[in-house]
Amino acid sequence: ANKIGEKCNVSGAAALADSLLHNRMLKHLDLNHNSLCGPALKAIADAVEQTSMLESIALFHNQWDQPSSYKFRQILQDHARIIPLKADFITSEVDLRVEVCKAADFSPA
């Protein structure tokens, strides 16, 4: 893995997020095991929210925090997306916290 978010270095994730906003061809994105910290995941989430062509994303093996977990929960529950987003993780709310768990049945579209 490239560790684009190592030690909470958000600049690599921010650059990737920016490229997602301009790329209309990418269908599947796998960023597992890149040491993405919460703010880096949130930057990716902000871009994914605006990118309707992305079909699947793999992010589970990273360093989730509440803001990034909550943001991806909103995206995954967004029924207005033209193409529903598949992910290698699921989110659930437990005691007013959003938890991220590995999805057992994930396969990129």
Side-chain angles (χ1 to χ4, degrees), residues 41-92:
L41 288 164
K42 176 78 169 51
I44 299 292
D46 290 340
V48 167
E49 184 175 43
Q50 298 176 49
T51 307
S52 61
M53 298 308 293
L54 194 62
E55 296 176 12
S56 67
I57 192 163
L59 289 170
F60 178 70
H61 296 283
N62 284 290
Q63 302 163 12
W64 293 86
D65 65 359
Q66 281 300 287
S68 59
S69 300
Y70 181 77
K71 185 66 170 187
F72 271 104
R73 180 171 176 77
Q74 289 179 314
I75 294 168
L76 293 174
Q77 292 180 340
D78 182 2
H79 299 291
R81 282 182 64 95
I82 295 169
I83 300 171
L85 183 65
K86 292 173 56 175
D88 71 332
F89 59 92
I90 58 174
T91 62
S92 59

Side-chain angles (χ1 to χ4, degrees), residues 1 29-31 33 42-43 47-48 51 66 72 84 90 94 96 98 104 109:
L29 180 62
D30 187 337
L31 293 173
H33 301 286
K42 176 78 169 51
V48 167
T51 307
Q66 281 300 287
F72 271 104
I90 58 174
V94 179
L96 302 176
V98 176

